[in-house]
Amino acid sequence: MTHPDRPRLRIAVLAHCRHPIAPPFMGGMEAHAHALARGLQARGHDVTLIASGDSAGDVPLIPLMDRHYDADYPWHQWHGTPVLNAHLDRHHQACLERVAGMGFDIIHNNSLHRFPPRMARAARVPMVTSLHVPPFDTLLRAVRDSIAPWHLVTGCSASHLAGYFPEGPPDHAHVLANGIDPAAWPFSPQGDGSAIWAGRITPDKAPHLAIRAARRAGLPLRLHGVVEDRPYFDRMIRPHLSDGIRFDGHLPSDGLARALGRASVLLFTPQWDEPFGLTAIEAMACGTPVAAIPRGAVAEVLGPAGRLSDPEGGDLDRALIAALRIPRHLPRDRVLAHFSLDAMIDRLELLYRRAIAARDMPAPPVAYPPIALPPGLVRATT
């Protein structure tokens, strides 16, 4: 329930709509949005999830679009195309015009679209925009030209936030580490001697590097996740499967927790500037140490609960063997100290109240061109 000095808020949680917010989650963004909405609801807040219409859960839902866009416009084929951009623009505008008149105290924006942050700035809509991906041009410009006392921005690690503000974050930008419910990822005091890899099967997650490291180290490996890039899977993963290297498919959260707890080490192999690494802290909560390629926030998140390879992952097998010697209580303790859902929501409640209180603070007006923010999104809020 809410604390006596933390009033009950009407909160709209706006999610990215590439995949549905429904278990088994396709990736970290979906798991995060689900946990966030339910965690806020458990605190006594009036929470509405804005997501694709095929999402599910115990939180009231406003559909931003009828179904997730990857179903009709797979990202690997349509990303950056005028067709997908127009689809996303149309649905974001229509949904935000509707939501603007519903009297929410705060919008927590987890989308990757340019309209929500600029609507917040131009129309003085209290908002927290949480960033979940490295900067790309359209989102970077929208974040930087919309930040305001009532529009706060969070990155999920210091290195992640620095990508958006290399000169140093302004007063209204903050680090907000992702959090998980430790009870959903129970501690296992001993692994079975195997390695595990979990995530989307795609080149930027690079499970082929986990296969190479496990083979060199002589450990069996289980792979779990959604095959997002089928040609990559068929070329780089399938030919290497054997009795010792198994692909066991995509698991719901409880099944993944059991699999992570059984393993002796997680292999974490990002080939992009990883903003955080939710799978890593899920494994750590289970007591499973991590051997990782140090891209983005990886070292910042793992701390003493992991061992790092060289930046290219060439000696990941060495890091794997070293990680096996980490006491299993240490990863769990690090999650409890730094990455719990309660700690994340405590911090968010402070940011929500700060944004709401600052709505009428002096600030120069802004005027965006229609391509950056349709005029209807300003009129809808006034």
Side-chain angles (χ1 to χ4, degrees), residues 31-82:
H32 176 270
H34 182 264
L36 170 64
R38 295 191 68 185
L40 289 168
Q41 188 181 60
R43 291 283 180 100
H45 298 295
D46 181 356
V47 181
T48 299
L49 179 64
I50 304 171
S52 62
D54 50 358
S55 298
D58 302 328
V59 178
L61 176 70
I62 293 175
L64 191 146
M65 54 188 68
D66 288 342
R67 64 177 184 168
H68 65 289
Y69 73 78
D70 216 48
D72 301 304
Y73 303 102
W75 188 88
H76 286 287
Q77 300 174 32
W78 293 90
H79 174 62
T81 64

Side-chain angles (χ1 to χ4, degrees), residues 14-19 21 29-30 50-52 69 110-112:
L14 173 58
H16 185 53
C17 289
R18 181 179 174 186
H19 299 128
I21 310 301
M29 288 184 66
E30 294 77 28
I50 304 171
S52 62
Y69 73 78
N110 297 273
S111 77
L112 307 181

